Amino acid sequence: MTGDEPQADRSFGARLAAVFAREGRLSVGIDPHPETLAVWGLDDTAEGAKRLGLAVVEACAGVAGIVKPQVACFERFGSAGFRALEAVLAESRQAGLLTIADAKRGDIGSTMASYADAWLSPGSPLEADAVTLTPYVGTGALEPTMRRAASHGKGVFLLAATSNPEARALQGARTPEGASVAGWIVGDVRAFNRRHAGNSVGRQGARVGAAGVVLGATVRLAQAGIEVGPGVGGGEGGVMPVLAPGFGSQGARLTDLEAIYGALTPGVIAHESRSLLNVGPRRLRDEIARHAALARVVDA
């Protein structure tokens, strides 16, 4: 086995497929914004962020299988915030949850290698199962990190079509070949998964790739140049993971998941944060369970 080949039974795709089958598609945000901490009666400190994070992990265990800590919400507290995040990530692993560090890193050369060491290397204090990446240095510049992720059984999610209106002009711009920038990123991720196809399988026997994209649930994907019709959901590279923020407070409904994503649905991770966290700690587990049931509308 070479260093670029995914681990046979511990690949990110295999573990994601297992979560889909076991707990469904819901991803729960760990976003200790000042307003959320206030709802919880917690101080706007690193300790408050840690307490919220650990409570979310406890509420998710056995109910929802994926958590996505928003790194910026911890980073704002400096070194104390990173220690809090380390504790939350460690507790998430202990609880058997799949973790996506929403760090949005993107650089070239040795700088990107250092980011990969931080977020994707087994044993790192900030080790996560996957990390979000910004591909506007070029997807080719990120491929070494993507290969490293696959070799460690980790995943990556490249921002492609985000829901903020400021992104539309850039992400919808056309390449000389006529593809949108967002569509071009999706195509590059598909090509990576074809080149590094693992043996992770979903319920229908389809492989699930190590590399995925972020496609906001409030984005009109066809207008953004993202194909969702029949024939785009699998193929030689297997199922492409799709991190789908925008459900809940941002307006998209979990019951519309399949209508939004079409043939991409088998890889979709439906993410919610504020709509869950803002119910407070007492109701959190019940609310997560309710939303997780809604996010089981389509099985992988």
Side-chain angles (χ1 to χ4, degrees):
M1 178 178 290
T2 69
D4 288 344
E5 292 173 354
Q7 299 173 8
D9 59 354
R10 294 296 299 164
S11 70
F12 177 75
R15 290 182 291 131
L16 180 60
V19 169
F20 283 167
R22 190 174 61 241
E23 288 104 355
R25 301 178 172 276
L26 184 67
S27 161
V28 179
I30 302 179
D31 300 6
H33 293 289
E35 301 82 1
T36 303
L37 291 169
V39 169
W40 282 55
L42 296 171
D43 292 334
D44 187 20
T45 62
E47 180 61 26
K50 176 182 173 181
R51 289 177 61 187
L52 182 143
L54 295 178
V56 173
V57 169
E58 182 178 5
C60 286
V63 177
I66 306 167
V67 292
K68 182 172 76 66
Q70 174 49 259
V71 172
C73 291
F74 293 87
E75 188 172 329
R76 66 194 181 97
F77 297 116
S79 59
F82 276 109
R83 287 194 297 273
L85 178 57
E86 290 169 5
V88 171
L89 288 168
E91 189 65 21
S92 299
R93 285 193 298 275
Q94 186 67 27
L97 301 177
L98 205 68
T99 55
I100 303 172
D102 197 352
K104 297 184 178 72
R105 300 302 194 244
D107 215 311
I108 61 175
S110 60
T111 305
M112 195 62 223
S114 294
Y115 282 139
D117 285 341
W119 298 104
L120 299 173
S121 291
S124 166
L126 289 168
E127 178 187 356
D129 293 300
V131 66
T132 57
L133 302 177
T134 301
Y136 290 96
V137 292
T139 54
L142 299 179
E143 179 144 345
T145 296
M146 295 161 72
R147 291 199 306 268
R148 181 179 299 195
S151 71
H152 289 318
K154 305 293 188 180
V156 296
F157 290 91
L158 277 64
L159 274 65
T162 59
S163 56
N164 60 307
E166 300 89 348
R168 290 173 189 161
L170 175 60
Q171 295 172 359
R174 297 287 166 171
T175 69
E177 294 76 21
S180 69
V181 170
W184 172 66
I185 292 167
V186 171
D188 273 9
V189 170
R190 287 189 187 282
F192 175 86
N193 283 338
R194 284 195 296 271
R195 294 193 301 271
H196 301 273
N199 55 8
S200 47
V201 294
R203 182 169 292 183
Q204 304 303 322
R207 292 192 307 273
V208 180
V213 292
V214 178
L215 300 177
T218 59
V219 175
R220 295 185 178 182
L221 295 176
Q223 292 184 9
I226 309 295
E227 295 291 333
V228 298
V232 304
E236 187 180 342
V239 172
M240 179 177 64
V242 175
L243 179 58
F247 290 98
S249 296
Q250 294 185 50
R253 300 183 302 180
L254 290 169
T255 50
D256 293 333
L257 189 154
E258 190 169 12
I260 295 169
Y261 291 98
L264 298 177
T265 302
V268 169
I269 300 167
H271 180 72
E272 289 194 57
S273 181
R274 283 176 295 170
S275 53
L276 295 172
L277 299 184
N278 286 349
V279 304
R282 292 185 179 181
R283 293 175 48 204
L284 180 62
R285 185 174 176 85
D286 288 344
E287 195 70 0
I288 290 172
R290 186 173 72 84
H291 287 235
L294 293 174
R296 297 181 71 96
V297 291
V298 176
D299 289 325

